[in-house]
Amino acid sequence: MRRALAVSAEVHGTTSPNPAVGCVVLDRDGVVVGTGATAPPGGPHAERAALAQAGDRAAGGTAVVTLEPCNHTGRTPPCVDGLLEAGIARVHAAVADPNPVAAGGLDRLRAAGVDVTLGTLADEVALGPLRGWLHRTRTGRPHVTWKVATTLDGRVAAADGTSRWITGPAARGTVHDLRRRMDAIVAGTGTVLTDDPALTARRPDGTLFDHQPLRVVVGHRDVPPGARLARTDEAGTADVLHLRTRDPGEVLAELSHRTVVDVLLEGGPTLAGAFVAAGLVDRVLVHLAPALLGAGPHALGDAGVVTIADIVRLHVDEIHRAGDDVVIDARPAPGPTGPDVPQ
């Protein structure tokens, strides 16, 4: 299953609005004979790709897949049909498909005599490349990751407004790798006017990744004609959406209408505070630099917390190093302030 998860990670960011699924096929002897991942919309699903690679050796074998095989006809035929036609004897799936239109694949496989298990590494898979898609399918809105780079004393810029660079090159590299897996990056007009960001996903050498997220500006003020977001040469496209609102709900409703699944929130403290206050942040990625400023804007603006009883507590999923910086990966904790299952 971890191999299937790794395969799905390779295509994360290229499959939306479809889920990034990974599949591994083993023959009767348990030897891996095929691997596959979801192709861009209109292309084969992970199971079909893995079965094509396995060929006749799939008969009597096992399919390990991160998401329950689909049981409906969309742009492609049901993956359940492909598994049955190939003669697969066992299927191990990590998570059930929450989409009622596509669900039922495991039941159909069981009815056909296939040995089926559900739940292999379910939590690990649910926090992987499927995370945003599962959330959007369950809630009807995009999954929002708030990324912030801050000093140990919680500052995102110096007193004069300068902020480049708080974190080191390793941490910045992970951010660009994250950007290329997102469907949209959101920043407020304040950040645009202060920092003049490009909001592109770039390799260490400065070249652009093939996949570029939709760049979204939120706020009523105009983007200056000379800003990087106003130029078509930054990402080779003028694909910038300016939403003249300060309402996070309106922002996500518009992005959902555009079939956006994964949103990266990179705005300043004011925009971040508005999303937190609205309960619309699903993941928090804090890049913590071993540095002190003592003055300057804080990482988070007004988040609607007026008393300690309203504190927004987080569940930490992972802590790791990126060069000299520490990355904290967290999500709203179970209870009134957050979900009780991985989203």
Side-chain angles (χ1 to χ4, degrees):
M1 186 61 77
R2 287 199 175 92
R3 187 163 180 171
L5 187 58
V7 171
S8 71
E10 294 175 5
V11 300
H12 186 200
T14 68
T15 66
S16 285
N18 294 333
V21 178
C23 179
V24 175
V25 172
L26 303 93
D27 66 12
R28 294 175 183 270
D29 299 320
V31 177
V32 174
V33 292
T35 60
T38 309
H45 290 187
E47 297 93 326
R48 295 273 181 177
L51 290 170
Q53 192 177 103
D56 294 340
R57 297 184 66 183
T62 301
V64 179
V65 61
T66 56
L67 180 68
E68 175 183 13
C70 67
N71 190 36
H72 81 298
T73 300
R75 295 182 180 179
T76 59
C79 292
V80 170
D81 288 357
L83 293 167
L84 293 175
E85 291 163 3
I88 287 290
R90 290 165 298 279
V91 173
H92 300 289
V95 294
D97 193 331
N99 181 358
V101 175
L106 294 181
D107 288 340
R108 186 169 161 217
L109 289 168
R110 287 192 190 97
V114 177
D115 183 14
V116 170
T117 64
L118 175 66
T120 306
L121 296 183
D123 288 346
E124 192 170 331
V125 169
L127 291 175
L130 283 175
R131 180 175 185 160
W133 182 86
L134 288 170
H135 178 273
R136 188 181 189 278
T137 304
R138 290 165 176 158
T139 68
R141 68 166 178 82
H143 181 275
V144 177
T145 297
W146 172 42
K147 188 280 298 180
V148 60
T150 177
T151 60
L152 286 177
D153 55 335
R155 310 287 179 170
V156 293
D160 65 355
T162 55
S163 60
R164 296 179 182 174
W165 297 103
I166 286 178
T167 54
R172 296 198 297 274
T174 65
V175 170
H176 283 281
D177 187 66
L178 177 65
R179 282 182 176 182
R180 73 184 180 95
R181 302 178 191 279
M182 295 289 105
D183 298 315
I185 300 180
V186 176
T189 51
T191 296
V192 172
L193 294 171
T194 301
D195 296 341
D196 191 22
L199 301 184
T200 52
R202 301 183 294 278
R203 300 182 182 90
D205 64 2
T207 59
L208 297 175
F209 283 108
D210 292 337
H211 171 71
Q212 293 295 319
L214 173 68
R215 298 176 291 169
V216 183
V217 179
V218 174
H220 296 296
R221 288 178 288 183
D222 292 334
V223 176
R228 299 175 77 184
L229 284 173
R231 306 174 198 161
T232 59
D233 60 346
E234 276 293 349
T237 174
D239 198 11
V240 177
L241 175 65
H242 189 172
L243 299 177
R244 295 181 182 273
T245 178
R246 295 190 180 96
D247 185 333
E250 292 180 2
V251 173
L252 294 187
E254 177 60 30
L255 295 182
S256 182
H257 177 70
R258 294 171 179 262
T259 68
V260 165
V261 173
D262 272 311
V263 172
L264 183 61
L265 182 63
E266 288 209 39
T270 301
L271 186 64
F275 269 79
V276 171
L280 294 176
V281 170
D282 308 297
R283 183 184 185 190
V284 178
L285 279 176
V286 180
H287 290 72
L288 193 61
L292 302 169
L293 280 171
H298 289 283
L300 186 66
D302 182 6
V305 177
V306 296
T307 178
I308 196 66
D310 298 330
I311 192 171
V312 180
R313 296 196 181 275
L314 304 176
H315 172 83
V316 176
D317 288 311
E318 184 182 0
I319 299 175
H320 63 272
R321 294 280 294 272
D324 291 331
D325 304 310
V326 175
V327 181
I328 302 173
D329 188 344
R331 55 189 155 94
T337 59
D340 56 5
V341 295
Q343 297 288 331

